[in-house]
Amino acid sequence: MSNHIIDPTKWVDRYSDYLYNFTIVRVNDHEVAQDLISETFLAGLKSAKNFKGEASERTWLISILKRKIIDHYRKTNSNKGKAEVRMQYSSEDSEGDWLEERVKDPFDKTAEDTIENTELGDAIYNCLDLLPSKQSTIFKMKTIDNFDTEAICNEFNITPSNLWVIIHRARTSLATCLEKNWL
């Protein structure tokens, strides 16, 4: 088994968008999402010495982030948090050990993971279909097809701040839809 190495100097460039997209659908709050990602990077730095290289760097960071999200809900004492905490892990182990014992490499997908990801993908597209047409199109262009902000603004004759309001509303609607239909 090849050992992965970590390079914290590249984390922000490599993973911040991915971590943000992962977080925003779970917490539905831009500032909270950014805080959780910052906390994840800090925790990763602190426990870097515990990284054994058995999981990929991104998988390792996601596992820290999942724990941060659970902690966030535990602190806010919400119902969603209580449900998450029921499947929580013992907090005595150091973060690094906890992570690698419980994390599988994303390239080692089990059939169940593959089915679950397919179901999630279908659920996302079903929820996207329920959005207003313009909102859905703009959301797909920005988040799925990675169109440039300026290109989208020109095509729809909107300002960048309009674009971000539309994206935010789409994310909020998607998160609500996914909570009802998939989570």
Side-chain angles (χ1 to χ4, degrees), residues 68-173:
K68 297 294 175 195
I69 292 169
I70 291 171
D71 289 344
H72 162 72
Y73 279 114
R74 191 183 304 137
K75 281 180 201 142
T76 59
N77 201 24
S78 68
N79 289 332
K80 186 173 180 182
K82 287 175 187 160
E84 295 268 12
V85 171
R86 271 186 223 115
M87 55 168 241
Q88 79 130 41
Y89 311 94
S90 75
S91 53
E92 297 89 60
D93 4 329
S94 83
E95 211 147 18
D97 292 343
W98 169 84
L99 299 165
E100 293 207 55
E101 283 164 19
R102 291 164 178 78
V103 173
K104 283 197 258 46
D105 194 288
F107 302 107
D108 180 28
K109 285 265 175 238
T110 63
E112 196 177 312
D113 287 340
T114 306
I115 290 166
E116 190 172 287
N117 285 341
T118 304
E119 285 172 0
L120 175 61
D122 291 346
I124 289 169
Y125 279 102
N126 290 339
C127 289
L128 275 171
D129 289 342
L130 299 174
L131 295 177
S133 172
K134 180 179 173 184
Q135 197 181 63
S136 174
T137 303
I138 290 174
F139 183 81
K140 287 177 195 167
M141 286 174 76
K142 185 69 189 155
T143 60
I144 298 171
D145 301 326
N146 292 317
F147 273 83
D148 188 54
T149 298
E150 194 179 343
I152 298 170
C153 290
N154 289 341
E155 184 166 333
F156 288 92
N157 197 22
I158 56 175
T159 65
S161 57
N162 289 141
L163 172 68
W164 291 112
V165 167
I166 290 168
I167 297 290
H168 175 72
R169 285 183 181 150
R171 276 197 179 117
T172 305
S173 299

